[in-house]
Every structure is written in structure tokens, then in C-alpha cells.
Amino acid sequence: MEPLAAGLELAGRFRLIRAVGRGGLGEVWLAEERAESRRVALKFPHEGQAAALRACFATAARLSHPGIVALHEIVEQPRPFLVMQYVEGSDVGALRGAGYRAILAALLPVAEALEYAHRQGVVHRDLKPANVLRDAQGRSFLTDFAATAAAGGGTLPSMSPQQLDGAAPVPGDDIYGFGALLYELIAGAPLFHPQVTAERIRTVQPASPETDLAGEPLPAALRGLLAALLRKTPAERPPGMGAVRDALEQILLAGAEQTVRGAAKLIRPVQRERSGVPAGDSPVVPGERRGAGLPASVVFAALAVLAVLAAIVVFYLPIMVRGRAPAAPEIAVAQVADAPAAAAEREPATVSQAAFDEALGAFLRRDDELRALNAERWAGADWLELRRLADAGDAAYRRRDTAQALQNYRDAAALADRLLSQAPAVLTEALREGGAALDAGDQPRAIASFERALALEGGNEAARRGLERARNLDRLLALMAAAETAEAAGDRTGALESYRQAVALDPAAGEPRAAVTRL
């Protein structure tokens, strides 16, 4: 096969311009697509990685978001390659050493893109700087979902302890990976550098930096965010990327207000005119203060404190699921009234902090159990309803409607309990249905049934044997048909040979065994 080089023409449509990157899955080239008069990025898999490239495309092609690099198509000839949106610029690694505000602003769209991907059931699992591109206008784009599709994929410093242990992908992996990415950009080096080991990732809780590389102290809310993102267990991390996104916005807002407060010392504030005195006609009374409100510095300080407190609530509320004292403080929340918001008044409701934490923790634990059982493959409409309840709880939590979030999480936990109790019966039914499909010669239904059983219990021997038989069913039926044709034509020797081949292919099949005995 002709080696890749500038000027090479591919598939009669693409002309290679230059190599722009290389990763674990393949090599990326900038190319011109003549028919569309556009520049695209082409990813060519390394030897033996073509299947992983196709899996990556199947995973990420269904995502359509302004913060995610678009995948256009897979071209198979003359060699397989992936056609992608080309982002001209660099990656966020160029921000190492920048102030923390610039880093947070660049990662905010990444948090939004991950929140969207998680809603579609896609987890990235490789959040390193090279996989977040930035164009000439400073816009960020998430790329390369290959680690989701490839078993064992990912980059060591950004892998959660669960990912290291081979657990199924969950959004908690990306929450941890986002923390590792944020840490690397602020600290200037990956987590645990230069001694990055799986053991340290599993056991050592990294300390948050005190300052960014520009020397500016990190806000307490940002240091708390980093600590929460990098917790060892998913239940101790923020409940979703939506909460992470909200906290980033709050930290940026607090930083902007600090800047305004500093500028206020240099800018003379505009005084409010008192009612009844026209502008410009206000009398000046010696010793009298102008205006009726609090000083601007006090207002700005109060706003900044509220913003920081709001950011802290976003993180410390979810991670304090465990170890609460029984006598927890009461927090006041608003209950949505039935009347329109413009006219209705909200009645205060009181939700115990311990009750909220218990409900959220119960749901997260059950959700993890269901994901380990691959419930999305067998729970059907109930799984969709569970995701709706969880999303509704997250949304209510983000708008500080704690009472509604509490109810959503309790409903989700109850539904999860029901699904978990149904799992053994679902396994039994999948095995029964698979056996019936084998007897009926229905290969697609047999394969689907046994795969569902293995999704529930990966080590189930009956399901494994059934799936093997189902995958051979088309060949078995062909041998049986040949044997019956030969027997009908009086060719007992030919019929016997075909029946014996059928027995060798599927020893558990009773019909060819009986035919061999008969002949």
C-alpha cells in the first residue's frame, strides 16, 4: 500500500496536505476534499486498529454538539480512514501557565459538551489536553472518543481508579478525567508527574494547587472543586457534568466581581438621586452623605461571598453523601407553586440535609449497580424513565429546588430497586427465550436473547454456550438441509456425513444426533 505523503490522492476525493497529529489509535492528516471545497481531517488507523476506528465512529457519530468535533464518515477504500471536521489551531495544552480564569473559560464548553454526551449515553474516558482542540477564535472542541470504544483505552494520568480496574464506562470516569485535565493545566504537569502509576491513582488523593502558574492564588471554591472531582469513588464526586459546569460559571463570576471590586477603588461611583429631587438639582449639604444605599464595596463583597458559597454548595452537597451525623441542619428551599411563576408565591419547604444526602447516595449506588448489569440493554422503557428522573433531579438541584430534586432522586431510587429485583427473572427469561429461539431456528432472536443474558451475568455458562450455539445456527441448519436432501435422494452415506458434521458443530442439538443413530 502506498505510504501516506503530501499530495497523495485518496478515494478520488481527498488530497493529503500534511500530517497534523498522531495518537494511540492512528495518524491524522489535513486534507482537501475537492468536491466540497473544504478542508477536513483524515484519521488513518495504525496496523490492527481498523476495527477500533470503526467502533469510535459508531460511538461518536451520533453526537451533534457545537463543542464536539463532527465525524462525517468512514471511507473503506483504498484503505480505511475517518473523515472529521478540521479545527485549525492548537489544543488546550497551550494554556499551561495561563491564569486560572483563562483555563476555566476554555474548559467551560468542554463541560457542556460532556454533559450533552452523557445524556446520549456516551462517555469519553480520555480527557487529556491533546483531545481538546482550540481554534483561532479560542473556541474549544472535544475530540477522539476512541477510548470509549477500545477496551483498556485511555491515558494513565486521566484514568479514574474504576477505569483502571476495567469497570464499565460511567459518567463518573469523565468527571474524574475532567478534574485531571483541569489540574494539569493549572499545575503545568499531569497528576502525580513524574511518577504516574496505577497504584498512586488508586490510593493517593492529590492536593489542590495553592496558586496557578501565573502566581495568582486559587479561590477556595476552585480548590474545593478540584478536590471533589478527583475523589477516588464516583459517589463522592459531583453528581454530573451539569453541576461541574454550574460551579465553573460561579467561580468565573466571583472572579469577575473581584476585578470589579478592585476597579471600584479607581472609579468614582455614581450617586443615586434621592426621590423628589431632580437630577442635577440635588442640594449639597456639608457633612451629609449622598445616596441612600450601602457602599459599592460592601455590595460587591457580599455578591462575591454569595457566589463563592453557591459554588461550594454545588460540590460539597453531593460529596457529603456518607458519614453525616443524624442531627443534620435544616436547609430552606423553594417549592414550585402550581400557579404561573409571575403570579404565584413560593412556599418555603424544609428539607433535611441528611435526607437529601441519603436519597442522592441511595440513587447513585443503585444506578452504579444497574450500570454494572448493563440495564440499558434489557430494562427498556423503565431505563429511559430512570434516566429522565435522574436528569430531572439534576436539573432541580442546579436551580436550587432541593425539595423537587429530593423527590426525583427518591423516585429514581425506587424505580432502580424495582429493576434490580427484576434482574434475576430477566436473566431466566432471556435464557428460556434463547433456548426457544434455537429450537425454532430463529438465529437473530437467539443471539439477542443470549447476549442479553450475558449482559446481566457475564460469567453465565448457559448463556455463553447458548450464544455459541446461536452463532453456529445458520451453519447447522445448512448441514441439516443438505443431510435431509441427500437422505431423500437415497444417499444414506452423504446424509450420514452431513448429520455427523452437524453433531460436531453443535453437540447439544438433539435432532442431528437422533438422525445419526437412526441411519
Side-chain angles (χ1 to χ4, degrees):
M1 186 176 295
E2 189 174 359
L4 300 176
L8 180 65
E9 301 276 346
L10 294 171
R13 297 165 50 196
F14 304 97
R15 182 179 62 83
L16 298 185
I17 298 175
R18 67 175 184 274
V20 294
R22 184 179 180 88
L25 183 62
E27 188 173 356
V28 181
W29 280 70
L30 169 63
E32 181 181 16
E33 185 178 11
R34 290 195 303 271
E36 299 290 339
S37 298
R38 65 177 178 176
R39 288 188 162 192
V40 292
L42 306 183
K43 175 171 279 191
F44 300 87
H46 297 316
E47 185 175 354
Q49 293 290 336
L53 186 79
R54 295 184 186 99
C56 174
F57 177 77
T59 298
R62 66 179 186 265
L63 301 178
S64 178
H65 187 275
I68 297 176
V69 170
L71 305 188
H72 300 316
E73 62 178 308
I74 282 273
V75 176
E76 295 288 350
Q77 297 295 335
R79 66 179 82 197
F81 59 86
L82 177 60
V83 184
M84 308 182 296
Q85 171 190 358
Y86 174 61
V87 178
E88 186 170 6
S90 60
D91 61 55
V92 294
L95 291 177
R96 292 186 188 94
Y100 76 86
R101 292 183 184 85
I103 293 170
L104 297 191
L107 293 188
L108 189 56
V110 179
E112 294 171 350
L114 287 170
E115 183 184 15
Y116 163 82
H118 293 170
R119 288 200 192 103
Q120 314 311 310
V122 177
V123 182
H124 190 282
R125 292 193 122 195
D126 196 13
L127 295 174
K128 58 187 177 184
N131 286 339
V132 180
L133 307 179
R134 299 188 77 217
D135 66 10
Q137 288 73 45
R139 294 173 297 194
S140 297
F141 298 83
L142 185 59
T143 187
D144 200 351
F145 284 77
T148 302
T155 305
L156 192 59
S158 66
M159 294 172 73
S160 70
Q162 294 71 39
Q163 187 175 348
L164 280 172
D165 293 337
V170 294
D173 296 329
D174 282 350
I175 292 172
Y176 182 95
F178 188 88
L181 174 63
L182 180 57
Y183 180 99
E184 179 173 348
L185 296 180
I186 290 175
L191 276 171
F192 306 117
H193 181 80
Q195 297 175 332
V196 184
T197 65
E199 182 61 24
R200 297 189 75 195
I201 290 173
R202 291 188 179 99
T203 60
V204 178
Q205 183 68 38
S208 299
E210 296 285 344
T211 68
D212 59 25
L213 292 185
E216 183 169 1
L218 298 188
L222 178 52
R223 298 185 73 242
L225 163 59
L226 270 173
L229 292 170
L230 297 173
R231 297 291 182 191
K232 299 303 177 186
T233 58
E236 294 177 316
R237 298 172 200 147
M241 287 306 302
V244 177
R245 180 206 63 210
D246 286 354
L248 292 175
E249 291 175 344
Q250 293 288 351
I251 294 168
L252 285 168
L253 174 63
E257 288 170 346
Q258 284 181 337
T259 302
V260 171
R261 247 192 351 265
K265 298 178 181 179
L266 304 176
I267 302 174
R268 187 174 181 178
V270 176
Q271 302 294 339
R272 292 182 179 272
E273 302 299 336
R274 291 175 298 193
S275 61
V277 182
D281 295 336
S282 177
V284 179
V285 179
E288 183 181 3
R289 290 195 307 168
R290 301 285 300 273
L294 291 171
S297 60
V298 174
V299 174
F300 284 130
L303 287 173
V305 169
L306 287 174
V308 171
L309 287 174
I312 291 173
V313 166
V314 170
F315 298 101
Y316 288 108
L317 194 60
I319 68 175
M320 294 171 68
V321 173
R322 302 176 182 175
R324 288 283 186 183
E330 302 290 310
I331 53 175
V333 296
Q335 208 169 31
V336 179
D338 293 332
E345 292 186 2
R346 294 173 178 263
E347 293 296 329
T350 301
V351 172
S352 163
Q353 182 76 65
F356 180 86
D357 290 347
E358 181 183 357
L360 176 57
F363 165 68
L364 291 174
R365 288 190 294 274
R366 288 160 176 76
D367 195 40
D368 284 345
E369 290 180 57
L370 285 171
R371 289 182 186 276
L373 293 173
N374 297 293
E376 69 275 9
R377 297 177 58 181
W378 54 266
D382 283 337
W383 177 256
L384 297 178
E385 174 62 11
L386 185 70
R387 302 267 57 85
R388 187 196 69 77
L389 287 169
D391 289 345
D394 292 346
Y397 179 71
R398 288 197 297 272
R399 66 175 183 265
R400 310 295 186 264
D401 190 349
T402 319
Q404 183 60 57
L406 174 69
Q407 187 60 53
N408 289 136
Y409 290 137
R410 281 177 171 169
D411 291 345
L415 177 55
D417 276 335
R418 180 158 62 84
L419 291 176
L420 288 169
S421 69
Q422 292 172 353
V426 172
L427 174 61
T428 301
E429 175 60 21
L431 292 171
R432 187 205 63 77
E433 185 178 337
L438 279 177
D439 293 340
D442 187 345
Q443 186 180 38
R445 185 162 64 94
I447 290 176
S449 298
F450 288 122
E451 284 183 340
R452 186 163 65 251
L454 284 172
L456 271 158
E457 187 179 311
N460 188 283
E461 187 60 24
R464 187 196 62 76
R465 290 196 306 268
L467 182 59
E468 183 178 354
R469 292 184 63 201
R471 286 173 174 165
N472 289 329
L473 186 57
D474 54 346
R475 295 168 57 198
L476 177 72
L477 294 176
L479 287 169
M480 292 292 292
E484 290 166 359
T485 300
E487 189 173 3
D491 182 4
R492 292 172 59 88
T493 301
L496 185 59
E497 177 60 25
S498 293
Y499 282 132
R500 282 175 172 159
Q501 289 182 31
V503 171
L505 181 65
D506 185 357
E511 189 176 349
R513 267 203 330 274
V516 168
T517 301
R518 175 171 51 80
L519 288 178

